[in-house]
Amino acid sequence: MLQLSTGKDGLFMKILKEGKNSLIISLSGEIDQYAAAELKECIDIEIQSTSRKNIIIDLGMVDMMDSSGIGLIVGRYKLTISTGKKFAICNASSSVKRMIELSGITKVISYYNTLTEAEKKMGF
């Protein structure tokens, strides 16, 4: 498992763990333009180097996300599908989920209410 603390005042953390068929990326804190810029490269490396066929981003510990967070998710989705893998997001708080829904990305990107549901549907 890899942990990365980043972002302004250490408000953002990334935790990676691998299941049987899935790479789960858990995010916490605030995803703003500063955190998103730092995370992009780290997450891209993990997506490109994993042999797992599913990438799940768990937003359960994200307190706030602005449009940079939406851009982060969309960019990682595009990278994931370009490598022949499946991508999903899950477990967002009500305010973050509202931001996601308003952006319209759930029309393209699979969203699950819990990590357990995402793992089950994607074949963890």
Side-chain angles (χ1 to χ4, degrees), residues 65-117:
M65 182 170 67
D66 64 14
S67 60
S68 299
I70 298 295
L72 176 73
I73 291 170
V74 170
R76 300 329 31 98
Y77 165 76
K78 288 179 179 180
L79 174 63
T80 299
I81 62 169
S82 75
T83 60
K85 299 172 181 143
K86 295 180 186 176
F87 183 89
I89 54 177
C90 67
N91 201 25
S93 67
S94 59
S95 61
V96 172
K97 185 176 179 182
R98 178 141 171 80
M99 169 70 95
I100 290 167
E101 289 171 342
L102 289 172
S103 74
I105 64 173
T106 56
K107 293 176 183 173
V108 178
I109 299 173
S110 297
Y111 176 83
Y112 300 101
N113 289 318
T114 66
L115 177 57
T116 302
E117 181 184 4

Side-chain angles (χ1 to χ4, degrees), residues 14-27 43 47 50 52-60 73 76-77 80 85-91 109-124:
K14 177 182 89 166
I15 301 171
L16 300 175
K17 66 179 183 176
E18 291 187 310
K20 181 180 174 186
N21 294 315
S22 300
L23 173 66
I24 300 164
I25 303 170
S26 299
L27 307 177
I43 295 173
I47 290 171
T50 189
R52 305 307 190 261
K53 65 179 182 175
N54 303 318
I55 307 297
I56 301 171
I57 296 188
D58 181 356
L59 301 169
I73 291 170
R76 300 329 31 98
Y77 165 76
T80 299
K85 299 172 181 143
K86 295 180 186 176
F87 183 89
I89 54 177
C90 67
N91 201 25
I109 299 173
S110 297
Y111 176 83
Y112 300 101
N113 289 318
T114 66
L115 177 57
T116 302
E117 181 184 4
E119 290 172 335
K120 182 178 177 182
K121 297 281 185 174
M122 295 185 76
F124 182 72

